[in-house]
Amino acid sequence: DTWAGSANASTILNTTIQSKLSAGTNVTISTAGSGTDVGNIAVNSSIVTGAMASDATLTLKASQNISLSTGVLVDATQSGNTHKLNVVLQSNTSDGTTSGAVSMASGSAIKSNGGEIYIGGGSATVTSAAGNAVPSGSAYSPTSPSIPASPGISLTTATVNAAGGDITLKGQSGDTANGVGVLLMSGSVV
């Protein structure tokens, strides 16, 4: 199932996404950055699957930034689940130079139960080993005095665990002097 954000703020309930993924249905959520919104995706509630009917893929495609809030989980390891959840976070699909970063706040986690986890950016895609369309470019953060190192991907006390599946993190900073593409802070685990 695919959901595309409207011209203004859109909300999709985590329970709706959980239900689809638990049924083994692939879910794609995208933004276009039109209307009053710039095209960010903020995951503010946990997405925890039940025992999935089959492997599935959760794809978040944002015109600009993607963020997982404090304590938010994307988790396929509960309820005796034996299937994989592939997770693709694709920021900066507008290929802009203003913003397109991915951030995971304190206590947030992605646990795929053996599915691939791919975090990157840009509009162009390639096919991954698992057969998913994944971004061929990097999540991007412009140079900003308010964001030290301006990381394209930042994890703050966060966890990314594929339990044997592939993990790819592709980040780029606009700060060519002091920038960091991928920043793991405060005990983050990959």
Side-chain angles (χ1 to χ4, degrees):
D1 284 8
T2 301
W3 285 281
S6 67
N8 299 311
S10 298
T11 301
I12 302 168
L13 295 176
N14 64 323
T15 53
T16 302
I17 299 166
Q18 290 169 171
S19 176
K20 295 290 185 181
L21 294 172
S22 292
T25 303
N26 295 334
V27 172
T28 300
I29 299 170
S30 64
T31 65
S34 60
T36 59
D37 282 342
V38 295
N40 294 329
I41 294 177
V43 182
N44 294 321
S45 296
S46 292
I47 300 168
V48 180
T49 69
M52 297 168 61
S54 62
D55 295 350
T57 301
L58 171 63
T59 303
L60 303 181
K61 299 170 70 172
S63 179
Q64 287 199 6
N65 303 306
I66 298 173
S67 63
L68 272 68
S69 296
T70 299
V72 165
L73 307 176
V74 175
D75 189 352
T77 64
Q78 305 296 315
S79 303
N81 181 43
T82 59
H83 292 285
K84 299 175 182 178
L85 176 63
N86 301 304
V87 179
V88 179
L89 304 183
Q90 182 176 359
S91 66
N92 196 27
T93 59
S94 63
D95 291 324
T97 57
T98 57
S99 194
V102 175
S103 62
M104 294 177 63
S106 178
S108 64
I110 300 173
K111 299 177 182 179
S112 69
N113 208 37
E116 73 178 355
I117 299 171
Y118 200 101
I119 303 174
S123 62
T125 60
V126 296
T127 302
S128 70
N132 293 302
V134 298
S136 60
S138 299
Y140 177 79
S141 179
T143 301
S144 170
S146 65
I147 305 171
S150 301
I153 299 172
S154 63
L155 281 66
T156 305
T157 320
T159 300
V160 177
N161 183 342
D166 292 337
I167 298 174
T168 303
L169 306 175
K170 294 176 74 175
Q172 178 183 353
S173 173
D175 183 346
T176 57
N178 301 304
V180 176
V182 177
L183 181 61
L184 307 176
M185 299 186 308
S186 304
S188 291
V189 177
V190 177

